Amino acid sequence: MLEVSHLSKTYGSNADATPAVGDISFKVARSEFVCIVGPSGCGKTTLLKMLCGLLEPTSGEIVLSGRRVTEPPEEMALVFQDYSRSLYPWMKVGQNIAFPLLRNKSLSKSERRERVEQAVEAVGLIGFIDKYPWQLSGGMQQRVAIARGLAYQPEILLMDEPFASVDAQTRADLEDLVLRVRHEYGVTVLFVTHDIDESVYLADRVIILSARPTTVQEELEIDLPRPRNQVTTKELPEFARLRAHVYRAIKRPGEVAEEATPVPEVSAKSS
Ligand code: ADP
Ligand code: MG
């Protein structure tokens, strides 16, 4: 469904040049849940911005459903890390979620309302549809952002460290929420995180990035049974094995790094 070939991005030029993404190629199949994991600053956000047509690659190409991406594709939705800046503070929850749907002229007002209500229900925010974002907790705001992505009914949902700034319990709840709605909506998900446990817990496949300039260091199939469970899945010896594998891979920066790279900063919660 999504094919990324030899993508690279260098910010600036000459002395100021920052090679953010070195050379990245991978594929995502329809309905697959792929996590991209890599150390902070390795170019994950840069990669996602290129994938959704917001940033022009220095080289390489992105093909979505057979078409080359040169501008934001209609079939994609993106959930950002910083929910406090991604919701419109002057719009109520329902209006925030409905906003991207206004682009779709073929949707009637009642169809729009139905989609919004469905998405609000999926993320457990019934009763908050007429609140403003600033009346909600951080975790709830992020659920609004997820609902907005779902209501749009994208073919592929891109998520950039969406739970990095919520507390651990909320994070676990939101992880399970994403797994559940992904199952219900059958959406393809490309989920970026620096959290190793999270990547193994969520994904069908984990793509491990090297330090900058970023390349794909390894792709790892995650064949843990579904539905997954925060306690029983993480107790499985296979979970521990996969987690340790990703952890070790990230500890050793890829040989392709041209500049001296400190040991990447990664978070690995003890499970
Ligand atoms: P990550 O999301 O993995 O933390 P980013 O994609 O945000 O990494 O950034 C990768 C590298 O590119 C970092 O060194 C960052 O400082 C640099 N960078 C990101 N955005 C810009 C920009 N607009 N201009 C110049 N450098 C940038
Ligand atoms: Mg980032």
Side-chain angles (χ1 to χ4, degrees), residues 174-213:
L174 290 175
E175 287 169 0
D176 290 336
L177 169 73
V178 165
L179 288 182
R180 205 185 66 238
V181 295
R182 177 257 184 161
H183 181 73
E184 282 169 16
Y185 283 72
V187 63
T188 310
V189 184
L190 187 62
F191 188 106
V192 161
T193 180
H194 66 271
D195 188 301
I196 293 167
D197 287 42
E198 183 168 80
S199 70
V200 173
Y201 181 67
L202 294 175
D204 296 320
R205 185 156 52 96
V206 173
I207 296 178
I208 305 169
L209 300 182
S210 70
R212 281 197 302 119

Side-chain angles (χ1 to χ4, degrees), residues 11 18 20 39-46 212:
Y11 289 108
T18 306
S40 289
C42 80
K44 300 184 294 299
T45 297
T46 301
R212 281 197 302 119

Side-chain angles (χ1 to χ4, degrees), residues 35 48 55 60 122 146 151 169 177 185 187 194 233 238 240 250 259 262:
C35 280
L48 279 195
L55 185 68
I146 294 168
Q169 183 59 50
L177 169 73
Y185 283 72
V187 63
H194 66 271
T233 299
E238 181 66 1
I250 288 185
E259 55 193 85

Side-chain angles (χ1 to χ4, degrees), residues 45-263:
T45 297
T46 301
L47 171 65
L48 279 195
K49 282 184 183 161
M50 291 192 284
L51 295 184
C52 65
L54 291 174
L55 185 68
E56 199 183 337
T58 303
S59 63
E61 97 174 343
I62 302 147
V63 175
L64 178 67
S65 307
R67 273 176 297 126
R68 197 172 166 174
V69 173
T70 50
E71 56 180 12
E74 274 191 15
E75 55 266 61
M76 257 184 197
L78 178 64
V79 176
F80 296 95
Q81 171 172 359
D82 190 354
Y83 50 81
S84 65
R85 287 196 298 171
S86 73
L87 301 176
Y88 298 113
W90 63 89
M91 285 186 192
K92 292 175 178 171
V93 165
Q95 294 170 314
N96 263 288
I97 298 172
F99 189 69
L101 303 180
L102 298 172
R103 254 179 84 183
N104 185 345
K105 301 284 182 242
S106 66
L107 280 182
S108 69
K109 203 172 168 189
S110 64
E111 285 169 322
R112 242 186 358 249
R113 190 176 320 121
E114 196 178 314
R115 282 216 203 171
V116 171
E117 281 169 5
Q118 254 179 19
V120 164
E121 187 180 349
V123 302
L125 284 179
I126 295 175
F128 295 91
I129 204 161
D130 288 321
K131 299 276 186 218
Y132 288 96
W134 43 267
Q135 294 176 300
L136 308 178
S137 70
M140 288 161 92
Q141 289 180 44
Q142 193 55 294
R143 281 193 270 163
V144 176
I146 294 168
R148 182 172 57 187
L150 292 173
Y152 187 72
Q153 297 187 4
E155 285 174 35
I156 180 162
L157 185 62
L158 307 184
M159 305 182 92
D160 188 7
E161 305 205 44
F163 313 143
S165 41
V166 296
D167 63 86
Q169 183 59 50
T170 305
R171 181 180 199 137
D173 292 345
L174 290 175
E175 287 169 0
D176 290 336
L177 169 73
V178 165
L179 288 182
R180 205 185 66 238
V181 295
R182 177 257 184 161
H183 181 73
E184 282 169 16
Y185 283 72
V187 63
T188 310
V189 184
L190 187 62
F191 188 106
V192 161
T193 180
H194 66 271
D195 188 301
I196 293 167
D197 287 42
E198 183 168 80
S199 70
V200 173
Y201 181 67
L202 294 175
D204 296 320
R205 185 156 52 96
V206 173
I207 296 178
I208 305 169
L209 300 182
S210 70
R212 281 197 302 119
T214 320
T215 57
V216 172
Q217 187 166 322
E218 192 182 341
E219 298 194 25
L220 187 65
E221 294 292 332
I222 308 292
D223 46 14
L224 296 166
R226 291 191 190 269
R228 296 191 185 159
N229 176 286
Q230 294 283 354
V231 177
T232 54
T233 299
K234 292 181 178 178
E235 274 174 348
L236 295 172
E238 181 66 1
F239 181 87
R241 188 187 70 77
L242 290 165
R243 177 186 175 279
H245 185 99
V246 179
Y247 193 81
R248 287 199 189 95
I250 288 185
K251 277 292 186 191
R252 275 187 234 116
E255 292 153 21
V256 284
E258 276 156 25
E259 55 193 85
T261 319
V263 174

